[in-house]
Amino acid sequence: MTKQKTNDQNTLDRRNFLKRATVVSGLVSAPLLSSPLLAQNYSNRKTCKTMELADDFIYLNSGTEGSMPDCVIDDFNNNLKRWASNPTASYETDRHFRKHQHYHREKIARLFSVEKDNICLTDNTTMGMYMVLMGLNFKSTDSIIYTNQEHTAITSPLAMHKEKTGLKLLQRDFPTASKLNRMTSHEVVEYLLPNTKELRGATALCVSHVYPSTGIRLPLKLLRKKADQLSIKYLIVDGAQAFGMIDLSEGDDDIKLSDFYACPGHKWLNGPPGTGILFLKNKSIKPPEFYPTLSQRMEKYSSKNSDFPMAEALQVRGCSNVPGFTSMLTAIDYQNNIGGSKAVEKHIIDLAQTVKEFIYSHSPLSLVSPRLDKSLASGLTVFFPFSWENPNKIFTDKNTANIVVKALLEKNIQIRAIGFNDEVSPNKKIYGLRVSTAIFNNAQQIKQFQQIIKEVLSTLS
Ligand SMILES: Cc1ncc(COP(=O)(O)O)c(C=O)c1O
């Protein structure tokens, strides 16, 4: 344990030293982006780079947390100073911050071609999911469908409901990892949500857009179609691993295909910590269908005819992270300036595909994430550790996954181990390795990763 700490500290110290050295010598370079348009825009924007990651540190874990580019950090710093220099005005009247975030909500709404009252700013995905799952007026006779791969941002509020009201939770299991990487999106959605009596008429379908465990994306268009076919009232989506990675403005992954969608600003968007967005399709939703659980505006609904917007009721909840929300808009501007969400998605998915092909070409059995159907693809690639010399030898235990992660970190590459339940081992988690390829990563870094992971996997026998 002490040794682990020492190693991590050494790695950090070295990284900080190298970073300082490169900054002093002026050698900080722009990432080599795969898309020519993105690369051109990136290098033209001399004022915004992801500089806090040292040049020799290959950070492949945006699925846990992104890294703010310097324009976002500068903006955040300036916002904090502005706030501290005139606190009351900042809270009450400052036009830059705007009370109750009307301006921020308006700007985010425009991204998705919706209205301000469809958008509430939150601290993170978990907060958004809680606002929805505690806000909807579930009864003991209701049933909610979810899967065996959901994050605790979904399972925790569902467990609370089960305990409080006894409502029915219908867990659906994903196909086992060995089948998943060859399936199409239609096959996966049919497998998860067959047209059975049990699922028909469920109150809610509560799923993730992109799964942190397997990297699988469930296209919103297929989910919407399924929810309608099964007459499910609400499609509630956890978008923690999608916003900032996938274009949510139109097409098969349009946020408007969901009824509620919660996502963060701090992961793939590379915005400040403690920022997130909740989308509510029905801007007129109100009690008794939906209660503003975390709010200072419940009294607005004391009259039956109240049309007070629910998104605003949820927004007014005491002092929020306004400097952070303001800088989240800067992170959005930044993505738009370098090509927009479609170009960002392409860059991220192209890099992920390179990782998938590399792993698959050497050990087809180890790859968990889908490889063939692009509509299932994301920037997360998950695979089990395997022996490089004997690629059919796969490891699914926690210890081996942690050993590989640690060995990579010692070489300045950050990925993570991820545990999940599989159909074949429902009660015992199996562990894979998860690689996140983000906007600030480039093809050269992936080549280095391939070389080092080969060395590390060669030590497994
Ligand atoms: C699918 C999913 N949901 C929710 C979360 C929690 O995100 P947040 O920190 O934004 O609440 C995560 C974090 O990894 C996640 O992967």
Side-chain angles (χ1 to χ4, degrees):
M1 193 65 189
T2 322
K3 187 157 183 285
Q4 160 77 44
K5 256 190 191 160
T6 316
N7 282 343
D8 287 354
Q9 194 54 51
N10 283 346
T11 313
L12 271 177
D13 288 348
R14 194 165 143 253
R15 236 179 264 145
N16 288 339
F17 168 76
L18 281 163
K19 194 182 125 43
R20 275 196 302 276
T22 40
V23 168
V24 168
S25 63
L27 288 178
V28 172
S29 54
L32 304 168
L33 296 167
S34 62
S35 142
L37 171 68
L38 220 57
Q40 191 189 346
N41 288 343
Y42 203 102
S43 57
N44 285 346
R45 282 189 54 86
K46 296 209 169 32
T47 52
C48 195
K49 303 264 190 294
T50 304
M51 280 176 49
E52 293 306 314
L53 297 170
D55 274 5
D56 74 333
F57 181 38
I58 302 181
Y59 185 73
L60 298 170
N61 193 22
S62 289
T64 296
E65 192 64 23
S67 177
M68 287 177 277
D70 60 354
C71 55
V72 175
I73 297 172
D74 290 348
D75 188 62
F76 197 16
N77 278 336
N78 290 338
N79 289 334
L80 289 171
K81 284 182 181 173
R82 188 180 174 109
W83 190 277
S85 66
N86 201 349
T88 305
S90 291
Y91 184 73
E92 297 285 354
T93 53
D94 190 327
R95 289 186 62 73
H96 184 68
F97 294 131
R98 323 276 173 114
K99 198 171 183 185
H100 300 157
Q101 291 78 69
H102 290 283
Y103 167 73
H104 304 81
R105 291 166 55 220
E106 182 88 54
K107 197 156 175 205
I108 286 166
R110 260 185 261 140
L111 268 190
F112 308 123
S113 311
V114 297
E115 290 175 33
K116 179 183 75 174
D117 289 335
N118 296 110
I119 301 292
C120 169
L121 302 187
T122 59
D123 290 359
N124 50 41
T125 319
T126 308
M127 184 182 200
M129 291 309 293
Y130 258 89
M131 283 173 161
V132 175
L133 290 171
M134 292 295 130
L136 282 166
N137 193 357
F138 290 121
K139 306 274 196 318
S140 59
T141 48
D142 286 334
S143 55
I144 303 179
I145 307 170
Y146 70 120
T147 80
N148 63 334
Q149 305 275 329
E150 301 312 331
H151 191 271
T152 45
I154 287 181
T155 58
S156 177
L158 290 190
M160 201 186 302
H161 273 302
K162 188 167 172 56
E163 198 156 317
K164 282 172 81 172
T165 68
L167 60 61
K168 203 159 162 195
L169 296 182
L170 301 169
Q171 182 185 300
R172 298 291 307 157
D173 291 352
F174 267 91
T176 186
S178 59
K179 286 188 204 149
L180 201 58
N181 72 21
R182 285 172 282 126
M183 289 176 87
T184 65
S185 52
H186 281 90
E187 286 166 348
V188 176
V189 172
E190 278 306 317
Y191 186 100
L192 277 179
L193 303 164
N195 190 343
T196 60
K197 191 162 171 263
E198 190 183 36
L199 302 191
R200 276 195 297 275
T203 319
L205 170 59
C206 198
V207 286
S208 299
H209 194 175
V210 171
Y211 279 85
S213 45
T214 58
I216 194 166
R217 167 193 341 195
L218 294 180
L220 294 183
K221 196 169 183 178
L222 289 185
L223 288 175
R224 177 80 263 164
K225 212 168 145 194
K226 251 299 162 193
D228 292 346
Q229 185 192 81
L230 299 179
S231 304
I232 296 169
K233 197 165 175 193
Y234 304 114
L235 172 57
I236 304 168
V237 182
D238 171 342
Q241 300 292 349
F243 182 54
M245 173 215 280
I246 287 174
D247 177 22
L248 304 178
S249 66
E250 56 178 19
D252 290 356
D253 292 287
D254 189 334
I255 199 170
K256 298 182 282 299
L257 292 161
S258 65
D259 294 302
F260 301 96
Y261 192 103
C263 55
H266 61 92
K267 289 184 189 277
W268 294 86
L269 181 70
N270 302 304
T275 57
I277 296 170
L278 171 65
F279 164 75
L280 304 93
K281 181 148 87 187
N282 179 2
K283 60 182 173 12
S284 310
I285 203 164
K286 61 180 182 178
E289 184 179 1
F290 191 107
Y291 288 89
T293 308
L294 182 55
S295 170
Q296 296 172 342
R297 290 291 180 271
M298 179 57 201
E299 279 107 329
K300 290 278 183 194
Y301 299 100
S302 48
S303 114
K304 268 211 158 100
N305 301 325
S306 165
D307 57 0
F308 193 77
M310 183 54 66
E312 186 171 339
L314 292 168
Q315 195 66 62
V316 184
R317 50 173 194 262
C319 180
S320 286
N321 179 12
V322 184
F325 293 151
T326 310
S327 303
M328 179 168 70
L329 296 185
T330 304
I332 291 171
D333 283 346
Y334 169 63
Q335 276 212 347
N336 286 335
N337 285 338
I338 60 169
S341 47
K342 271 198 180 49
V344 168
E345 175 176 341
K346 180 171 173 4
H347 173 82
I348 289 173
I349 305 282
D350 284 354
L351 286 185
Q353 194 65 24
T354 311
V355 177
K356 284 180 197 170
E357 296 300 340
F358 175 76
I359 297 299
Y360 186 81
S361 67
H362 204 72
S363 172
L365 292 179
S366 70
L367 184 65
V368 175
S369 301
R371 186 177 70 92
L372 298 174
D373 185 340
K374 293 285 185 297
S375 68
L376 290 170
S378 78
L380 295 171
T381 302
V382 179
F383 60 99
F384 295 117
F386 61 91
S387 157
W388 192 264
E389 313 309 332
N390 179 10
N392 286 342
K393 184 157 186 197
I394 310 285
F395 301 83
T396 58
D397 62 292
K398 187 176 186 177
N399 191 36
T400 307
N402 282 338
I403 286 172
V404 174
V405 170
K406 189 164 170 253
L408 284 170
L409 196 55
E410 277 165 8
K411 303 268 183 184
N412 267 354
I413 297 178
Q414 173 103 63
I415 65 166
R416 69 163 285 182
I418 187 93
F420 55 96
N421 292 318
D422 195 51
E423 223 181 12
V424 288
S425 71
N427 301 319
K428 188 167 182 275
K429 277 191 174 168
I430 52 177
Y431 284 80
L433 302 168
R434 189 178 79 186
V435 178
S436 306
T437 45
I439 186 61
F440 48 76
N441 296 125
N442 59 54
Q444 201 179 316
Q445 290 180 332
I446 300 305
K447 273 209 181 94
Q448 283 175 17
F449 162 74
Q450 290 171 350
Q451 198 184 320
I452 304 289
I453 189 91
K454 179 178 165 183
E455 283 172 21
V456 172
L457 294 177
S458 298
T459 64
L460 301 182
S461 55

